[in-house]
Amino acid sequence: MAIQRSQFAKHPFKFLFTTWFLAVLPFRLAGIVIYYLPSATRANRSWRQAVATKLLNLWFKFATAVEFRTPKSLNPGAEADRFVLIDPDKVVDITSSPSPYTGPLTTNPAIKPAKVAAFWYESPPPTDGTPPPLVVLHFHAGAYVLGGARTAMEAGWGPLALSKKLTCPVLMPEYRLSNKSDRSTSFPAALQDAVTAYTYLLHTLNIPARNIILSGDSAGGNLVVALLRYITESGEQTLLPNPRAALLWSPWADLTTPAGEIDAHRNVHSDFLFGGLRDWGVESYTPDGWDISSPYHSNISPAGHEFRTSVPIFIQTSKQEILYDSHVALARGMQDVGCSVELVEIETGPHDVFLGAELFGLLEDGNEIIGRANEFVLRHGDAQEGSQG
């Protein structure tokens, strides 16, 4: 069945809707600022957090309606000193055996490994040939349809904070985003790019797997779980080793949750997520013809399809976000199959505080979760030492 695009994503409706949205925006902004002045309207949140959350909700509703596309480029741009172009053909011989691209990565012949633009935070590792003690490979948020890594505004507060706290470089790839009109951008495009970035660290920079930490917020957290599953289930074919640890920040763990259930969630008034954004992301990222019974569906929706890995997993969530229940379920499910999992909860904050701690005025909570992640990495960091080559 053909995927239907939003009527506001097509001209002239897109132009008319955008014009209307911009015309009424000043009045809506004024209304939001005034509405949240009384504490009774804020659901135990600060005025800044309540206003910032509502503004994000407003932006995402506009972006969803017009199916906004984040412009991407393979050119260095202003980030030249932090930019790297990763070419899968130069990282490893993809035609050789074993190839790092197998199994679920070959489900659509039209989707092939592609060049990936990536950016270092805070700065690249030294070029003297000595591998850094730690490197974080972080995947950004955006429901697989939005977001990027080129600027601090796109990447959010977390990557730079993580780099400073762990005193290590963070590499953020701009994996391919999905859209409804181009089905060659659906799964496994993003996972192919994740494998490309991981093999770049392993084979081009010669960084030992025990020095690599996988990290991802929201959809990026989903991508980290998919990469871990791929390494676990296809490792013998790809020879990809386990990383040191995995950090999941408000991961999008369950893509099967209906939009209506999201909009009816008890935390809907303290979060910016909504069912329409879920539908846009799921419909764009899910390959044509797939449903929950498809053989590789667990690669895009891990909750309820947990697997055992020896990689220690850190999951951070907020009790005020809509995805909180799925985070708890994912943590328990992974623990039940024998994984080492630490679940860190904060009391207040919407979805993805890792991305927006500064925006929401939650720097204290943000620094706390970064600190907990640092402790986690130090505590579990050598667990893989004996199993890595």
Side-chain angles (χ1 to χ4, degrees), residues 219-282:
N222 178 293
L223 190 52
V224 168
V225 178
L227 180 55
L228 280 181
R229 183 190 296 275
Y230 180 72
I231 293 171
T232 299
E233 297 179 352
S234 304
E236 292 186 2
Q237 290 77 36
T238 63
L239 300 184
L240 290 176
N242 283 327
R244 180 179 184 127
L247 310 177
L248 311 180
W249 314 92
S250 295
W252 192 16
D254 188 355
L255 274 65
T256 67
T257 305
E261 187 173 321
I262 291 175
D263 290 335
H265 194 275
R266 64 183 182 280
N267 289 337
V268 69
H269 297 297
S270 57
D271 204 347
F272 56 82
L273 298 182
F274 58 98
L277 178 60
R278 176 266 178 202
D279 283 351
W280 180 27
V282 170

Side-chain angles (χ1 to χ4, degrees), residues 2 8 21 38 58 84 88 107 116 122 128 165 167 205 229 237 247 253 263-264 285 316 324 332 359 365 371:
F8 297 119
F21 179 86
L58 194 63
V84 59
T107 52
V116 181
E122 172 174 22
D128 59 4
K165 187 64 178 179
T167 60
L205 299 190
R229 183 190 296 275
Q237 290 77 36
L247 310 177
D263 290 335
Y285 188 57
Q316 181 272 320
Y324 171 76
R332 290 176 178 171
L359 173 66
D365 289 306

Side-chain angles (χ1 to χ4, degrees), residues 183-204:
R183 304 312 296 146
S184 68
T185 61
S186 64
F187 178 90
L191 185 53
Q192 286 181 352
D193 294 344
V195 170
T196 296
Y198 189 50
T199 55
Y200 168 77
L201 294 180
L202 291 169
H203 300 308
T204 300

Side-chain angles (χ1 to χ4, degrees), residues 7-19 66-67:
Q7 64 175 343
F8 297 119
K10 306 172 185 177
H11 289 296
F13 301 107
K14 184 174 184 177
F15 172 78
L16 294 173
F17 178 80
T18 302
T19 301
V66 301
E67 295 181 8

Side-chain angles (χ1 to χ4, degrees), residues 16-257:
L16 294 173
F17 178 80
T18 302
T19 301
W20 169 83
F21 179 86
L22 294 175
V24 302
L25 183 59
F27 303 99
R28 299 181 77 171
L29 294 179
I32 291 170
V33 168
I34 296 171
Y35 178 78
Y36 287 114
L37 287 175
S39 59
T41 62
R42 298 191 223 129
N44 298 318
R45 298 170 295 165
S46 69
W47 177 85
R48 177 175 175 175
Q49 181 185 333
V51 170
T53 301
K54 188 61 180 179
L55 292 179
L56 267 185
N57 174 263
L58 194 63
W59 154 245
F60 280 120
K61 284 185 175 177
F62 169 77
T64 300
V66 301
E67 295 181 8
F68 181 85
R69 295 186 186 178
T70 307
K72 300 296 178 186
S73 171
L74 295 179
N75 296 318
E79 292 77 26
D81 58 333
R82 298 187 296 105
F83 169 84
V84 59
L85 181 62
I86 306 174
D87 187 341
D89 290 331
K90 295 180 179 179
V91 170
V92 65
D93 183 358
I94 63 177
T95 64
S96 65
S97 180
S99 168
Y101 308 96
T102 187
L105 300 192
T106 62
T107 52
N108 186 339
I111 303 176
K112 301 181 183 299
K115 294 179 181 179
V116 181
F119 303 88
W120 290 103
Y121 288 87
E122 172 174 22
S123 59
T127 57
D128 59 4
T130 303
L134 288 178
V135 171
V136 175
L137 178 59
H138 181 79
F139 301 100
H140 68 78
Y144 286 114
V145 289
L146 292 167
R150 185 173 287 272
T151 67
M153 181 176 295
E154 284 184 329
W157 170 85
L160 185 56
L162 194 62
S163 173
K164 291 180 177 179
K165 187 64 178 179
L166 273 63
T167 60
C168 73
V170 174
L171 181 65
M172 287 190 65
E174 285 205 323
Y175 57 86
R176 280 169 283 180
L177 299 180
S178 303
N179 68 76
K180 295 179 182 178
S181 59
D182 182 0
R183 304 312 296 146
S184 68
T185 61
S186 64
F187 178 90
L191 185 53
Q192 286 181 352
D193 294 344
V195 170
T196 296
Y198 189 50
T199 55
Y200 168 77
L201 294 180
L202 291 169
H203 300 308
T204 300
L205 299 190
N206 296 313
I207 299 174
R210 63 178 176 272
N211 292 13
I212 301 174
I213 301 165
L214 300 183
S215 173
D217 57 316
S218 194
N222 178 293
L223 190 52
V224 168
V225 178
L227 180 55
L228 280 181
R229 183 190 296 275
Y230 180 72
I231 293 171
T232 299
E233 297 179 352
S234 304
E236 292 186 2
Q237 290 77 36
T238 63
L239 300 184
L240 290 176
N242 283 327
R244 180 179 184 127
L247 310 177
L248 311 180
W249 314 92
S250 295
W252 192 16
D254 188 355
L255 274 65
T256 67
T257 305

